[in-house]
Amino acid sequence: MKRRNVLYGLSALGAAAAFPRLTLAQPTPEELLAPGALTEKSFGPEDAPVTVIEYASLTCGHCRNFHMNVWPAFKEKYVDTGKVRFIMREFPFDPRSSAGFMLARCAGDDKWYATIDLLYRTQDNWARSSDGSGSLKTVMGMTGMDEAAFEACLQDQELLEQVNSVAETGKSFGVDSTPTFFVNGEMYKGVLSIDRFSEIVDPLIAASGQ
């Protein structure tokens, strides 16, 4: 995806569509955790007995559902208690999602999560607006990002390629829809409730002796 495509895509209606389904071998935990093109954005201790990786798209309604309705309880129960390390990875389906991920990275480490949270909460305002660029610029203004920084971020070809690289690696792992989770290497697709997560995670924690 070239730089002009991101900028052009902001002017068109964003749409999330699944990638063609791939038949691939299950990646090993080591492959899943190998360093990628971008620094990992993670929560919880690196030595936690369970590692959960989420591949998400910022224009995905299901991802927003997980972020707003499941993630807070999951974080409180498992991440904040040191039982789970949770990694969020970029998997944009469209130029608007790519732009959102780029802008969150450009906002800086101290504002990254707050920006992701804001973009999910305002998803209806910018992801489906007829003026994607203007709407996204307005949202980013809430973080303190000015117009010059906004434009410069979206023209950062290296950052765009890094975001795309994270997504391409995800596709090589069999990710073709969002959200997709890997729990200690096992793939689970779609929004998982806190109860479903507990069914998966609790036995792994028990087996670790914690």
Side-chain angles (χ1 to χ4, degrees), residues 35-46:
L38 288 169
T39 303
E40 296 280 33
K41 295 298 186 181
S42 65
F43 304 81
E46 291 191 11

Side-chain angles (χ1 to χ4, degrees), residues 24 88 144 184 197 208:
L24 301 171
M88 293 184 178
N184 278 10
F197 262 121
S208 75

Side-chain angles (χ1 to χ4, degrees), residues 19 23 32 54 63-64 69 71 84 86 88 95 97 104 111 138 149 152-153 155 157 159-160 169 190-191 194 196 208:
F19 286 113
T23 303
L32 282 166
E54 177 198 16
C63 300
R64 175 185 176 178
N69 299 317
W71 166 241
V84 169
F86 192 95
M88 293 184 178
S97 183
K111 292 184 177 181
T138 297
C153 180
Q155 292 174 18
Q157 184 69 17
L159 178 57
L160 173 59
T169 300
V191 178
I194 187 64
R196 178 61 179 134
S208 75

Side-chain angles (χ1 to χ4, degrees), residues 53-65:
I53 300 170
E54 177 198 16
Y55 282 92
S57 175
L58 286 173
T59 53
C60 164
H62 297 297
C63 300
R64 175 185 176 178
N65 179 19

